[in-house]
Amino acid sequence: MSRRTLLRAATAAMAIPAIAWATTAFAQDKLSGKGEVVVYSPGGSLTQALRKSVFEPFTKATGITVVDVTADFAEPQVKAMNQAGRVDWDTAFVQAQNYPDMHAAGMFVPIDYSLWDDESLKGVPEANRLNDAVVMYGSAMLLAYDERVFGANGPKSWADFWDVKAYPGPRGLYAPAAKHNLEFALMADGVAKSDIWPLTDDKIDRALKKLDEIKPHVTKWWTAGGEAPQLLLNREFVMTNAFDGRVIAAINQGAKIRMVWEGAHVNYTYWTVLKGGPNNANAQKLIAFINKATIASGFTQASGFPGPNRNQLQHLPSNLVPLLSISPENASKVVIEDSAWLAAKRPDGKTNLDHIQERWLAWRAK
């Protein structure tokens, strides 16, 4: 460890009490209240991370109790509550591709950005702050490879993933969803990142033709998030696409896996405040709280999923920053999913997402 790194670490350590005090003071001044807020979460490790890094500190700082309810997916229940005219939750996470229709149906209330402090507004990019939703975290699908096989000279792009002569060995690809694989195939075929979306029919044809080339080298089409890094560790793959959070968890446990951010696919999950919820005011305060840099950094460390506030990078361990999609270097390399296009309806009434899934399943079945 260099002298500069030691000094930086010491400075950060001394700053922690001041940061904690500033966060608490902000919450007590602007966000204090009483009662409760009913929050949806998906259960498992993500809910555990939220409880530890967000819900408990929020209650301690504001006096507002968080009641978290769990379900596999929020959207069907939010729609059912909205139609019944009885909304029992205050907030819900909504996948970006599901947001447009729910927004159009008026299921959410505007986010109260007046509750946010200046640091949060500057740290969260304006594109991530919608009128009635704000990005909760970005999830990335990227190329990961076995460092034991290639060292530091492994694949650097999706074109390299397709280059089985320069980088020999078995590959893995994600089976359930079309969008990632179509996108990666197009980049492997020379399409610029800026030209990937929308996935028009001619681009789908081109991507599937490119996927024909790599298909014989895919030894397993994985389905569960934890499979990809585990199969790399088991030496069943030399490279695969994988979810960033799963790879980060494996790396933190000592796995010799390298992440390649060039051409990574990033999609968002949004925080929303539900129209008709029993505690909307407290929900607004919770969302303002989690988007502070110090709280966002705690959530990122606990969950592996980075919230949008870029200022949190100043509060994260230096070895974690290069593994995150929001680091400046990585952010310049990713492709942001066009979720609005995926949700849009085609002339036959199907969504674009439904259409590409049908094409994908037909190709897989060949």
Side-chain angles (χ1 to χ4, degrees), residues 76-97:
Q77 297 200 46
V78 171
K79 291 177 182 178
M81 287 189 289
N82 185 266
Q83 290 170 2
R86 178 178 173 179
V87 179
D88 298 322
W89 302 350
D90 295 302
T91 73
F93 310 160
V94 172
Q95 292 293 312
Q97 67 198 35

Side-chain angles (χ1 to χ4, degrees), residues 178-186 199 204 207-208 211 356 360:
K179 57 186 181 181
H180 314 92
N181 298 311
L182 296 176
E183 184 178 298
F184 301 152
L186 288 171
L199 292 174
I204 296 171
L208 293 176
L211 281 158
I356 65 172
W360 171 248

Side-chain angles (χ1 to χ4, degrees), residues 25 92 96-97 113 124 141 189 218 227 245 262 266 271 309:
Q97 67 198 35
Y113 291 109
V124 177
M141 173 79 80
D189 204 39
V218 177
E227 281 186 274
E262 183 61 41
V266 173
W271 278 103
N309 192 329

Side-chain angles (χ1 to χ4, degrees), residues 129-307:
R129 292 186 273 115
L130 309 185
N131 173 259
D132 58 358
V134 61
V135 169
M136 178 187 179
Y137 61 81
S139 177
M141 173 79 80
L142 45 65
L143 197 166
Y145 70 86
D146 189 342
E147 187 179 359
R148 298 166 299 181
V149 176
F150 299 111
N153 299 312
K156 303 293 191 297
S157 67
W158 291 107
D160 290 345
F161 185 92
W162 258 254
D163 191 344
V164 296
K165 291 183 179 179
Y167 303 96
R171 268 75 164 153
L173 281 175
Y174 184 54
K179 57 186 181 181
H180 314 92
N181 298 311
L182 296 176
E183 184 178 298
F184 301 152
L186 288 171
M187 283 183 279
D189 204 39
V191 177
K193 295 196 296 287
S194 59
D195 294 331
I196 295 295
W197 295 94
L199 292 174
T200 51
D201 286 345
D202 60 318
K203 291 180 188 174
I204 296 171
D205 292 340
R206 180 174 176 178
L208 293 176
K209 184 178 180 180
K210 189 67 176 178
L211 281 158
D212 285 336
E213 298 176 13
I214 202 66
K215 196 174 189 179
H217 305 279
V218 177
T219 56
K220 183 173 176 61
W221 297 87
W222 58 273
T223 57
E227 281 186 274
Q230 188 59 53
L231 291 167
L232 282 172
L233 292 174
N234 293 350
R235 298 183 184 272
E236 295 184 49
F237 298 154
V238 296
M239 64 183 76
T240 182
N241 56 2
F243 291 113
D244 57 342
R246 297 288 189 165
V247 177
I248 291 169
I251 291 172
N252 287 340
Q253 293 172 12
K256 297 297 182 181
I257 299 175
R258 292 252 178 155
M259 307 171 78
V260 178
W261 280 99
E262 183 61 41
H265 172 111
V266 173
N267 70 286
Y268 293 134
T269 296
Y270 292 125
W271 278 103
T272 61
V273 177
L274 303 183
K275 186 175 182 179
N279 309 285
N280 276 182
N282 287 343
Q284 298 282 6
K285 292 176 180 179
L286 176 64
I287 290 176
F289 184 79
I290 195 175
N291 280 286
K292 282 193 62 65
T294 50
I295 302 303
S297 69
F299 171 73
T300 298
Q301 292 177 73
S303 69
F305 294 105

Side-chain angles (χ1 to χ4, degrees), residues 1-22:
M1 183 178 285
S2 68
R3 180 174 179 273
R4 179 180 294 177
T5 304
L6 282 168
L7 286 171
R8 187 181 298 161
T11 301
M14 288 187 291
I16 287 172
I19 292 168
W21 179 86

